[in-house]
Amino acid sequence: NAGVMQNPRHLVRRRGQEARLRCSPMKGHSHVYWYRQLPEEGLKFMVYLQKENIIDESGMPKERFSAEFPKEGPSILRIQQVVRGDSAAYFCASSPSTGIDTEAFFGQGTRLTVV
Amino acid sequence: AQRVTQPEKLLSVFKGAPVELKCNYSYSGSPELFWYVQYSRQRLQLLLRHISRESIKGFTADLNKGETSFHLKKPFAQEEDSAMYYCALDPGSGGSNYKLTFGKGTLLTVNP
């Protein structure tokens, strides 16, 4: 099992462009979580998805950010009209279920730089 | 809202010395606490959680509700322990285990 795969590892976008970050969960995992780590900060929860459903998006900014996890293919975190403040490391994690004994496995992250 | 504080950004010790990485939290309920570790060029991975009360790689952490702390300790540090360590909190509602709040991390360096 290759683990949670995120791509690209590094992404540079100009202000106003769109950023698409992809996350392929571990095999057998149907729960995906996205976290954002701003410079000099800890990771912060953004959104939790299951296949084709957004379960909890309480950490997502209200505008420009969206996430999906289609029936086929990776989960996508989409940031429209990026601004410099979106520069951060975005981490994806996956788990086979949720619950007190469940461990979420993290990807290596995508570092987004907005210039 | 919950908050996790790791007061030390950097911590440097010599091999064989005891190490303690501090973590304090603020949350009104009964949270679940975790320690995550990120070795150089590797993924973030779970080190231990307070509910399991186990020792991983010689590390232990005790949840002190009175002091709202969850410090990570190891009696004899090894060079391979050098890594970034993150303390994390889950509100624990329904055992969700996904809506984690992380501290800013402590970079531990163990010198030979």
Side-chain angles (χ1 to χ4, degrees), chain A residues 2-5 33 35 37 40-43 45 48 56 58 91 98-104 106-108, chain B residues 9 32 34 36 38 41-46 49 51 86 94-105:
Chain A
V4 178
M5 302 301 293
Y33 323 93
Y35 286 80
Q37 184 178 29
E40 306 294 317
E41 296 291 325
L43 282 77
F45 167 78
Y48 160 36
D56 184 342
S58 56
F91 290 92
T98 60
I100 201 164
D101 292 324
T102 300
E103 180 179 346
F106 281 81
Q108 291 188 294
Chain B
K9 193 173 179 180
E32 295 168 29
F34 305 82
Y36 280 80
Q38 188 172 26
R41 298 191 202 89
Q42 294 189 28
R43 304 156 195 255
L44 194 65
Q45 55 187 282
L46 179 64
R49 64 183 83 186
I51 55 169
Y86 294 95
S96 62
N97 203 24
Y98 66 82
K99 206 165 178 177
L100 300 171
T101 296
F102 285 79
K104 294 184 181 183

Side-chain angles (χ1 to χ4, degrees), chain A residues 45-49 54-60, chain B residues 98-99:
Chain A
F45 167 78
M46 298 180 76
V47 62
Y48 160 36
L49 310 102
I54 296 174
I55 307 302
D56 184 342
E57 57 181 349
S58 56
M60 287 277 270
Chain B
Y98 66 82
K99 206 165 178 177

